[in-house]
Amino acid sequence: MKLRVINGPNLNMTGRREPSVYGSETLDDINNQLRDFAQGQGITLDFFQSNSEGALIDAVHDVLLKGFDGCVINAGAYTHYSFALRDAIAATGKPFVEVHLSNIHAREEFRHTSVIAPVCIGQIAGLGKLGYQLAVEALAAYDNKGPLEK
Ligand code: DQA
């Protein structure tokens, strides 16, 4: 199984940016641990990060065009308002799991809305880096059992 992991704007600053909210580990630290976890499950991960909406949309399209089985996405602040990203996810027809390091529902009002949630199979928020691991597990379970027996 081959999954893509997409991180959006400002997530390249994880570890340096508001550590009380996002933790003190860097995105590379988180990705390396996630890669090791996935390898143990026989899952190959491909990592992508960008601060640009267009580059993220292209990376989402590639989930379909390059034959990935699904995708873990932390779209950062684009989560809250990018209809273009939402449409891109829908266009792939592939399972996406939305992840947030912080609990977006316990923060400012504008973070309570996710415009991508309706086109994802699920959302994990507030569990820090563990959220990425749980998302990989969810996609593996989804792939094994199919959408009707999740
Ligand atoms: C975030 C939450 C977003 O609201 C924020 O804009 C981010 C990070 C998270 O991982 O908690 O950049 O997606």
Side-chain angles (χ1 to χ4, degrees), residues 9-11 17 22 74 76-77 80 99-102 104 107 111:
N10 300 307
L11 284 148
R17 160 201 194 205
Y22 300 115
N74 182 345
H80 312 303
V99 169
H100 300 283
L101 291 164
S102 65
I104 54 173
R107 299 182 63 197
R111 295 186 206 275

Side-chain angles (χ1 to χ4, degrees), residues 75-83 100 104 110-115:
Y78 290 138
T79 302
H80 312 303
Y81 66 92
S82 176
F83 299 117
H100 300 283
I104 54 173
F110 76 89
R111 295 186 206 275
H112 298 180
T113 299
S114 167
V115 301

